[in-house]
Amino acid sequence: MKKNNILTYLLFLGIMIVLQSCQSYSDGRMLKKFVSRFNAEEYASAATYVYPGDRMNVAFFANEVKTLAPHTFLKLEDYDTEGSGENRYIKATFKWENTTPALKSYFNNIGLPLDANDMQTVNLKIRATNDGETMTFPWGIPNILPENLWIANKGGRSSSKNEPIKLYTAPSAKANEAGKTYKDLIVGQEDNAGWRPAYQVTKDGEIITYYIPKDSSIKLDRTAFFHLGIFDSVGVIVAIIILIVIVAPFFLLRGVIESIFSSSIYGPFIVVGLILAAIYVIYQLLEQILFEMFIINLPY
């Protein structure tokens, strides 16, 4: 009996070690996870692999650039890690599928042109954070420090009643009004007169700078993404433990569940509600586990 317990313990320990190895992301594995989430337009999840200071550029690309080619997606053709220590980076070659002239123009404008086959090679610097290693994001606003960017809107990002923000051609009260927008704006630092540059992309792929005045009704947010799923930031081992904790009671407490079911007219509704909630949570956990271990996206 003791021998069986020891073997079971060693087997469990071995499984935990193997699973733990899934969390020590190699550069290539981290890059593939980013590409998978990015192509699925799960930008909040994709941004977890991006250096926090660069996540405003992810938001800028998602809000402004992706509309130039809504059906485009990335194919990772080749990659290699070069350098070491603080100078380590991933040299990655991508093929952009289903591009448009506007998207190609945008890449030309930021100094990362596509070749005749829509291929592009970029250097993604590895940056250390408290939560592990991340990558820089190369397709944002050039020559602007992403640490100096904010998201601006009127009414708050969680509100369904956003008011328009007026855009001006220059940082001056005498400037012409260029239009207005209901969308979230990526804006830069405020100058001494209280004006902020606001960055948008034209239909031709050109980055254009407007200006917004200082206005107490305009809300500024440094958090590019805050709508991750409930388990999107959970590691694979934690997800497995939660899964076991959720599933086990249904087998261990079958008698209790049956008694609830038959206790009153509301019993069946309570049990069905519990089962549906469990199925939803289990599905979320399975999606996270399969993605972390095998980079498999389950459909939502």
Side-chain angles (χ1 to χ4, degrees):
M1 187 69 178
K2 290 183 178 180
K3 186 176 180 180
N4 289 336
N5 289 339
I6 292 173
L7 290 175
T8 302
Y9 173 77
L10 291 175
L11 178 62
F12 178 79
L13 184 62
I15 292 172
M16 288 297 104
I17 291 173
V18 170
L19 292 176
Q20 184 63 38
S21 67
C22 296
Q23 303 219 201
S24 55
Y25 306 135
S26 66
D27 295 343
R29 186 170 177 79
M30 177 169 60
L31 178 58
K32 291 175 182 177
K33 288 180 178 181
F34 167 79
V35 170
S36 180
R37 294 298 197 192
F38 186 82
N39 285 339
E41 297 187 357
E42 297 171 6
Y43 297 117
S45 296
T48 61
Y49 307 105
V50 173
Y51 181 63
D54 274 359
R55 289 173 186 169
M56 282 294 170
N57 273 329
V58 181
F60 177 79
F61 192 94
N63 294 344
E64 295 288 334
V65 183
K66 190 60 167 59
T67 57
L68 302 176
H71 303 298
T72 193
F73 63 93
L74 279 172
K75 285 181 67 177
L76 179 60
E77 297 289 334
D78 191 23
Y79 68 90
D80 192 21
T81 298
E82 299 188 5
S84 60
E86 294 183 355
N87 297 317
R88 193 168 105 251
Y89 64 92
I90 304 172
K91 185 175 184 179
T93 300
F94 298 105
K95 179 176 175 61
W96 287 86
E97 297 282 1
N98 303 329
T99 59
T100 62
L103 182 64
K104 292 180 181 181
S105 174
Y106 173 79
F107 285 134
N108 284 333
N109 291 332
I110 65 172
L112 293 172
L114 306 185
D115 67 13
N117 297 314
D118 292 335
M119 305 281 282
Q120 182 187 62
T121 298
V122 295
N123 293 330
L124 309 171
K125 185 176 175 61
I126 304 298
R127 301 287 298 269
T129 70
N130 289 333
D131 297 322
E133 292 185 331
T134 55
M135 308 177 298
T136 53
F137 184 83
W139 302 302
I141 307 170
N143 305 318
I144 301 292
L145 287 175
E147 289 88 348
N148 296 334
L149 297 176
W150 285 259
I151 289 180
N153 62 30
K154 277 191 174 184
R157 295 172 68 186
S158 60
S159 173
S160 60
K161 297 181 179 179
N162 284 356
E163 299 177 17
I165 298 177
K166 292 182 179 180
L167 304 170
Y168 295 86
T169 56
S172 167
K174 298 180 180 180
N176 294 325
E177 186 178 326
K180 58 186 178 181
T181 181
Y182 287 86
K183 296 195 309 181
D184 288 348
L185 275 175
I186 303 296
V187 300
Q189 282 187 308
E190 184 179 296
D191 65 14
N192 292 332
W195 290 81
R196 288 182 180 273
Y199 305 102
Q200 290 191 318
V201 177
T202 68
K203 293 180 179 179
D204 297 321
E206 179 184 355
I207 297 177
I208 189 167
T209 303
Y210 294 116
Y211 295 87
I212 62 173
K214 188 174 183 179
D215 185 340
S216 60
S217 67
I218 296 177
K219 309 299 182 183
L220 298 175
D221 194 345
R222 278 289 300 156
T223 305
F225 297 101
F226 61 90
H227 52 280
L228 282 172
I230 55 176
F231 297 117
D232 283 356
S233 59
V234 172
V236 63
I237 292 180
V238 174
I240 289 174
I241 293 172
I242 296 173
L243 184 63
I244 293 171
V245 169
I246 291 173
V247 173
F250 281 91
F251 292 96
L252 299 177
L253 302 175
R254 282 178 294 179
V256 176
I257 294 172
E258 290 173 0
S259 65
I260 293 174
F261 186 87
S262 58
S263 61
S264 70
I265 58 172
Y266 301 108
F269 297 101
I270 295 172
V271 172
V272 170
L274 289 172
I275 291 174
L276 290 176
I279 290 173
Y280 173 77
V281 174
I282 289 168
Y283 187 88
Q284 294 284 321
L285 288 166
L286 286 175
E287 200 279 338
Q288 178 68 4
I289 292 167
L290 290 174
F291 185 80
E292 290 296 321
M293 295 179 68
F294 308 110
I295 315 184
I296 296 174
N297 289 82
L298 293 180
Y300 285 103

